Amino acid sequence: MSETVYNRIALLRAERGVTRRQLADALGVHYQTVGYLERGEYSPSLYLALRIADYFEVPVEVIFSTTPFPRIGERTA
């Protein structure tokens, strides 16, 4: 069983015009950490995941999932 955590951080950042550095500063982490998260190279702690959700003002499950998110415009069955 894979322990990959998928996320939509880059999508939310782009929608809101937030740079990696701005997000990192708001969260109190290094900007490279945001890059690692976006690429799936690092899974956040529950605390960090909740802080990211709070920053974007969305439920945590809008940002993070244990299954891949459908691509934008992709139809689901």
Side-chain angles (χ1 to χ4, degrees):
M1 183 167 140
S2 172
E3 291 193 20
T4 302
V5 175
Y6 300 91
N7 72 75
R8 292 179 165 154
I9 298 170
L11 178 66
L12 286 165
R13 276 196 319 97
E15 283 180 354
R16 300 184 187 196
V18 176
T19 67
R20 283 182 179 168
R21 192 171 298 275
Q22 288 170 325
L23 178 57
D25 289 347
L27 299 172
V29 299
H30 194 276
Y31 75 94
Q32 288 179 326
T33 301
V34 175
Y36 294 142
L37 288 165
E38 289 179 349
R39 292 187 301 274
E41 296 173 9
Y42 171 71
S43 293
S45 66
L46 177 58
Y47 179 73
L48 182 54
L50 291 169
R51 289 184 54 223
I52 293 168
D54 186 52
Y55 177 84
F56 287 113
E57 299 178 327
V58 296
V60 72
E61 53 275 348
V62 167
I63 305 173
F64 298 99
S65 177
T66 57
T67 58
F69 289 102
R71 297 184 67 112
I72 294 174
E74 184 177 294
R75 292 184 179 206
T76 57

